[in-house]
C-alpha cells in the first residue's frame, strides 16, 4: 500500500475524508478546532506538492438538510488554521459539486457540504460512494474518528481507487500508535483501564490480556473486583452481576502471566458530591454509606512504581471521578507518573473518551507520546476489531 509521503500530488486532485465533526456554539462558531488542526499536515502535503484538495466530512447527525449542521460554519476556522482560502460547495455530489471540482486549480481547497445530508452516506451506499469518487484523482482517508463505520465516504469509496489511495498522516499515526501498544511495543507493556463500569470495558480487558505484562484496573471498576474477592465496598459503584466475570478475568490474567494491580486504598466520600466529607480507607474496608470516588495515596505510589517499570503504556479511563476537583488527584497523579515515564523513554498512548478529556483538562497533552483523536474507533481497536475504514484498504 502506498504511503502519503510516497505520492506526488502535482496537478492532482486529492479527495480527502477528514473528520471535521467539531463542536459549535449557539452562534455556530467552532469551540474546539483540534480535529481541524489534526487534518492540517495531510492537506498541506498535497498543496505543497502542487495539488488541490477536495475535503469531505460529516458534522453531527442531521435528519434533513438542517442549516445548523452545515459545514459552511467551519470555513472561517479552517481558513485560519490552514492559512489558505477555502472554497465551499453547498452540495457534495452532483453537477454543481462536479463543476467546482473541475475548476479547482493547484493550491486550492474546496470543502464539500455535510455528507450526512444524504442518508446514503451512513447507509454505505455504493452509488453515493461512486458519485463522490468522481470528485478526485486520489482518495485519502484521514478520518480516524469515523474509521469504525462502514459508511460510503469512509469505507465503500476505497474500492473506486484501487491504485490511487492512501491513509492521511493522522490516520497513519493513529494506526501506528495502536500497533505500538498491541503488536510491536517494547516490553514491559502496561495497560491502565479506569472508568466507571466493568461491563463497558470487558471486551477490551479480554483482548488486552493477550498483549500486556501489567494491567492496572482503577476507577469505578475497582469495586466489582474488590467485592468479588470478599471486600466490603460500602456504597461504591459495583456491578454485582459482573463479580463472577471479575474473578474469571483475574484467573485468566494469572494463567497468562499478566500482573494485575488494583487500588489498595481509596478516598471515600459520604455522598457523590464535591462537598462531601472524605476519608482515606483500605479498599477492602469501605464503611457502610461511604463510597470510593478516587484512589488513595498508597495506590498512587504503587501505580507510580508500576508505570516507571514499563516501556509501553496505554491509558484508557480515569482513576476517579475527576470531574470533581476533590476526586481528581488519583487521575492527576497517574498523568504525572505517565509523563515522567514518557520523559524517560517510554511510549505512552492515551485514548478513548474520558481519559482524553482528563489529559487535556490537566495539561498532560504534550507530556505523553500520543493522544488519540478517535473515541469509538480507538475503543474498537483496543477490543481487537479491524476497523472497516482500515480494512477497506487491503481489499
Ligand atoms: P468510562 O466512560 O467508562 O471511561 O467512565 C468514565 C467515568 O467514570 C467518569 O465520568 C468518572 O467520573 C467515572 N468514575 C471513575 N471512577 C469512579 C468511581 N470510583 N465511582 C464512580 N464513577 C467513577
Amino acid at each position: 500500500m502506498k504511503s502519503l509521503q510516497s505520492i506526488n500530488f502535482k496537478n492532482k486532485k486529492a479527495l480527502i475524508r477528514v473528520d471535521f465533526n467539531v463542536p459549535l456554539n449557539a452562534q455556530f462558531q467552532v469551540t474546539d478546532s483540534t480535529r481541524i488542526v489534526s487534518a492540517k499536515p495531510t492537506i498541506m502535503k498535497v498543496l505543497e506538492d502542487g495539488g488541490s484538495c477536495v475535503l469531505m466530512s460529516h458534522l453531527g447527525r442531521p435528519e434533513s438538510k438542517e442549516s445548523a449542521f452545515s459545514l459552511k460554519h467551519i470555513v472561517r476556522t479552517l481558513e485560519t488554521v490552514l492559512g489558505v482560502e477555502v472554497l465551499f460547495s453547498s452540495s457534495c455530489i452532483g453537477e454543481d459539486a462536479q463543476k467546482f471540482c473541475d475548476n479547482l486549480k493547484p493550491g486550492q481547497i474546496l470543502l464539500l457540504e455535510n455528507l450526512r445530508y444524504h442518508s446514503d452516506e451512513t447507509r454505505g451506499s455504493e452509488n453515493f460512494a461512486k458519485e463522490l469518487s468522481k470528485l478526485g484523482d486520489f482518495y485519502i482517508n484521514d478520518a480516524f474518528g469515523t474509521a469504525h463505520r462502514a459508511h460510503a465516504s469512509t469505507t465503500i469509496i476505497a474500492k473506486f481507487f484501487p491504485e490511487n489511495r492512501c491513509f492521511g498522516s493522522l490516520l497513519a499515526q493513529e494506526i501506528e500508535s495502536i500497533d505500538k501498544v498491541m503488536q510491536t511495543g517494547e516490553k514491559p507493556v502496561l495497560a491502565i483501564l479506569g472508568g466507571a463500569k466493568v461491563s463497558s470495558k470487558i471486551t477490551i480487558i479480554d483482548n488486552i490480556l493477550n498483549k500486556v505484562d501489567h494491567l492496572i484496573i482503577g476507577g469505578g471498576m475497582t469495586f466489582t473486583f474488590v467485592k468479588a474477592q470478599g471486600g466490603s465496598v460500602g456504597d461504591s459503584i459495583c456491578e454485582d452481576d459482573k463479580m463472577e466475570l471479575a474473578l474469571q478475568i483475574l484467573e485468566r490474567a494469572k494463567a497468562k502471566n499478566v500482573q494485575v494491580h488494583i487500588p489498595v486504598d481509596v478516598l471515600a466520600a459520604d455522598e457523590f458530591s464535591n462537598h462531601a466529607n472524605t476519608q482515606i480507607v483500605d479498599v477492602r474496608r469501605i464503611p457502610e454509606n461511604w463510597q470510593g470516588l478516587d484512589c488513595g495515596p498508597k495506590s498512587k505510589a504503587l501505580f507510580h512504581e508500576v508505570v516507571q517499570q514499563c516501556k509501553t503504556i496505554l491509558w484508557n479511563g480515569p482513576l476517579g471521578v475527576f470531574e470533581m476537583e476533590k476526586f481528581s488527584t488519583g487521575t492527576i497523579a497517574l498523568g504525572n507518573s505517565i509523563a515522567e515515564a514518557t520523559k524517560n523513554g517510554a511510549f505512552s498512548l492515551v485514548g478513548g473518551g474520558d481519559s482524553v478529556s482528563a489529559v487535556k483538562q490537566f495539561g498532560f497533552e504534550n507530556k505523553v507520546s500520543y493522544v488519540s483523536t478517535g473515541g469509538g474507533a480507538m475503543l474498537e481497536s483496543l477490543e481487537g476489531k479491524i476497523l472497516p475504514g482500515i480494512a477497506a484498504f487491503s481489499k
Side-chain angles (χ1 to χ4, degrees):
M1 199 182 106
K2 287 176 190 153
S3 71
L4 177 76
Q5 291 311 325
S6 71
I7 299 172
N8 187 341
F9 292 93
K10 193 170 169 48
N11 294 323
K12 301 288 181 203
K13 282 187 191 88
L15 177 62
I16 312 178
R17 177 51 159 105
V18 286
D19 181 4
F20 287 168
N21 184 28
V22 293
L24 302 177
N25 63 17
Q27 287 75 44
F28 302 112
Q29 291 158 329
V30 177
T31 54
D32 181 353
S33 59
T34 309
R35 287 180 165 162
I36 298 178
V37 173
S38 305
K40 186 175 177 179
T42 299
I43 297 170
M44 295 320 282
K45 150 75 180 152
V46 174
L47 295 190
E48 279 160 16
D49 277 0
S52 55
C53 296
V54 180
L55 307 179
M56 54 178 178
S57 177
H58 74 285
L59 176 64
R61 295 182 171 176
E63 297 203 335
S64 59
K65 294 188 178 173
E66 299 153 74
S67 132
F69 294 98
S70 172
L71 276 167
K72 70 180 180 206
H73 301 305
I74 74 151
V75 169
R76 270 270 172 80
T77 309
L78 185 54
E79 287 180 329
T80 309
V81 169
L82 300 177
V84 181
E85 187 195 356
V86 173
L87 306 169
F88 181 72
S89 166
S90 54
S91 48
C92 62
I93 52 166
E95 245 175 64
D96 286 353
Q98 189 68 55
K99 218 180 271 169
F100 250 124
C101 289
D102 291 346
N103 292 328
L104 209 58
K105 298 194 179 58
Q108 287 190 315
I109 299 175
L110 173 69
L111 174 65
L112 303 176
E113 182 54 286
N114 195 342
L115 295 160
R116 290 200 190 163
Y117 276 179
H118 299 257
S119 57
D120 280 347
E121 162 64 358
T122 47
R123 224 183 281 140
S125 149
E126 188 149 338
N127 267 341
F128 183 65
K130 193 173 178 185
E131 283 304 303
L132 289 171
S133 74
K134 294 175 183 166
L135 304 177
D137 307 308
F138 278 86
Y139 168 62
I140 303 177
N141 188 355
D142 207 18
F144 180 67
T146 47
H148 59 314
R149 308 275 185 223
H151 293 171
S153 70
T154 62
T155 301
I156 313 301
I157 193 171
K159 71 170 75 155
F160 297 105
F161 297 89
E163 301 297 328
N164 293 344
R165 63 189 188 196
C166 67
F167 294 139
S169 67
L170 172 69
L171 186 49
Q173 234 179 323
E174 294 274 1
I175 296 172
E176 195 188 314
S177 304
I178 293 165
D179 277 357
K180 263 194 195 163
V181 173
M182 308 294 264
Q183 323 273 359
T184 61
E186 193 182 336
K187 282 173 156 295
V189 180
L190 160 69
I192 303 153
L193 298 179
K197 291 182 171 177
V198 177
S199 50
S200 63
K201 299 277 159 102
I202 186 64
T203 335
I204 296 181
I205 300 179
D206 249 345
N207 186 43
I208 223 113
L209 282 180
N210 300 314
K211 319 279 180 189
V212 301
D213 305 293
H214 292 270
L215 174 63
I216 291 179
I217 292 178
M221 288 201 289
T222 306
F223 308 104
T224 304
F225 282 86
V226 169
K227 190 169 173 186
Q229 291 174 294
S232 308
V233 300
D235 276 356
S236 307
I237 187 171
C238 182
E239 292 172 283
D240 286 353
D241 60 333
K242 294 289 177 289
M243 290 200 303
E244 192 54 43
L245 194 62
L247 293 177
Q248 286 168 15
I249 289 169
L250 294 175
E251 278 301 309
R252 245 180 285 151
K254 205 168 168 190
K256 289 177 192 288
N257 242 342
V258 177
Q259 289 191 48
V260 179
H261 312 272
I262 296 175
V264 288
D265 58 352
V266 289
L267 182 62
D270 59 356
E271 57 174 324
F272 191 82
S273 151
N274 205 27
H275 307 293
N277 295 306
T278 57
Q279 57 173 324
I280 290 159
V281 292
D282 185 312
V283 74
R284 299 166 54 85
R285 290 190 202 91
I286 301 174
E288 257 179 59
N289 302 323
W290 288 72
Q291 50 188 309
L293 295 183
D294 197 6
C295 56
K298 286 187 192 150
S299 311
K300 289 179 198 166
L302 170 75
F303 294 165
H304 180 76
E305 219 171 280
V306 178
V307 169
Q308 299 317 310
Q309 278 173 37
C310 293
K311 291 280 173 231
T312 304
I313 301 161
L314 163 75
W315 180 18
N316 168 271
L319 290 192
V321 185
F322 73 100
E323 298 92 335
M324 296 185 215
E325 198 187 347
K326 225 176 205 171
F327 309 108
S328 62
T329 66
T331 301
I332 294 175
L334 178 68
N336 278 322
S337 301
I338 296 175
E340 189 177 323
T342 310
K343 208 169 152 197
N344 292 331
F347 174 81
S348 54
L349 166 64
V350 182
D354 275 327
S355 31
V356 173
S357 344
V359 158
K360 287 186 175 174
Q361 186 178 327
F362 302 126
F364 294 119
E365 216 174 346
N366 298 318
K367 297 181 181 166
V368 296
S369 310
Y370 193 73
V371 181
S372 175
T373 57
M378 175 72 184
L379 294 178
E380 290 198 16
S381 302
L382 298 180
E383 286 173 358
K385 293 185 188 148
I386 303 195
L387 310 183
I390 294 168
F393 275 66
S394 39
K395 282 180 192 148

